[in-house]
């Protein structure tokens, strides 16, 4: 979590979120749509739990809005929906961003303790996207993990 906050503080001056008018139909078709597929994760903190590291993931991003289905590190179906603030050309062909929104499917929002019902949790995470490839690698800094996925321009 500290990494996400630090990332946001360092790059918040470079991040912009210009509002788009929904009434302007010409701009509606200028936005980019991406498809996200698959993910690998690494959990750097010691744990007795055997986390899943290869994940089913399918998501779509339209402009700055993101919706993702994924199988989480506890082998359970989860969903994220949110908004991403990003700097398009942060450094050459790298796009840096911060996504915020709820995720559903985890049984605990902070620490894993016993059985609980699945719930909604806050899910802020930082991203770096490498745009020089047709299949763009995306690194996400999540609370407690790092993730690698690929996005495709539709």
């Amino acid at each position: 979590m500290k990494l996400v906050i630090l990332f946001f503080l360092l790059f918040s001056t470079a991040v912009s979120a210009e509002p788009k008018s929904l009434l302007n139909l010409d701009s509606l078709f200028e936005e980019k749509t991406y498809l996200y597929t698959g993910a690998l994760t690494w959990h750097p903190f010691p744990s007795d739990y055997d986390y899943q590291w290869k994940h089913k993931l399918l998501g779509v991003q339209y402009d700055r809005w993101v919706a993702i289905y994924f199988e989480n590190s506890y082998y359970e179906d989860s969903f994220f929906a949110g908004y991403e603030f990003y700097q398009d050309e942060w450094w050459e062909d790298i796009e840096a961003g911060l996504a915020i929104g709820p995720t559903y499917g985890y049984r605990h929002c902070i620490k894993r303790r016993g059985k609980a019902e699945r719930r909604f949790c806050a899910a802020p995470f930082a991203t770096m996207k490498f745009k020089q490839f047709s299949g763009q690698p995306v690194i996400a800094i999540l609370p407690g993990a790092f993730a690698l996925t690929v996005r495709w321009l539709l």
Side-chain angles (χ1 to χ4, degrees):
M1 186 62 171
K2 290 179 184 176
L3 286 174
V4 172
I5 293 169
L6 177 63
F7 188 88
F8 177 71
L9 291 175
L10 287 174
F11 302 111
S12 62
T13 57
V15 175
S16 66
E18 296 176 15
K20 302 283 185 188
S21 170
L22 293 178
L23 299 176
N24 183 352
L25 295 179
D26 292 334
S27 69
L28 184 64
F29 300 102
E30 294 173 4
E31 308 304 336
K32 293 183 179 177
T33 303
Y34 294 96
L35 179 70
Y36 289 79
T37 57
L40 302 174
T41 57
W42 174 58
H43 296 80
F45 305 107
S47 173
D48 294 337
Y49 190 80
D50 184 24
Y51 292 112
Q52 173 173 241
W53 63 277
K54 292 188 298 186
H55 302 268
K56 297 175 190 171
L57 182 143
L58 186 61
V60 66
Q61 178 177 357
Y62 173 75
D63 188 25
R64 295 174 184 270
W65 295 97
V66 182
I68 300 173
Y69 155 80
F70 61 102
E71 190 174 68
N72 68 30
S73 297
Y74 302 104
Y75 302 89
E76 295 185 317
D77 293 335
S78 297
F79 303 91
F80 170 82
Y83 189 82
E84 184 175 19
F85 300 89
Y86 61 84
Q87 177 63 38
D88 194 30
E89 296 288 330
W90 174 63
W91 187 61
E92 295 185 14
D93 288 329
I94 298 175
E95 179 181 295
L98 176 70
I100 56 171
T103 188
Y104 175 80
Y106 288 93
R107 297 185 184 273
H108 303 279
C109 294
I110 299 175
K111 297 214 178 211
R112 191 172 204 275
R113 297 185 194 117
K115 287 285 183 185
E117 295 297 317
R118 293 168 56 158
R119 62 187 67 203
F120 284 96
C121 299
F125 59 93
T127 61
M128 291 185 72
K129 300 170 185 85
F130 299 87
K131 297 170 47 172
Q132 63 268 41
F133 306 102
S134 58
Q136 300 173 2
V138 178
I139 297 172
I141 304 170
L142 307 160
F146 294 92
L148 173 66
T149 186
V150 178
R151 77 175 186 175
W152 309 88
L153 180 62
L154 296 180

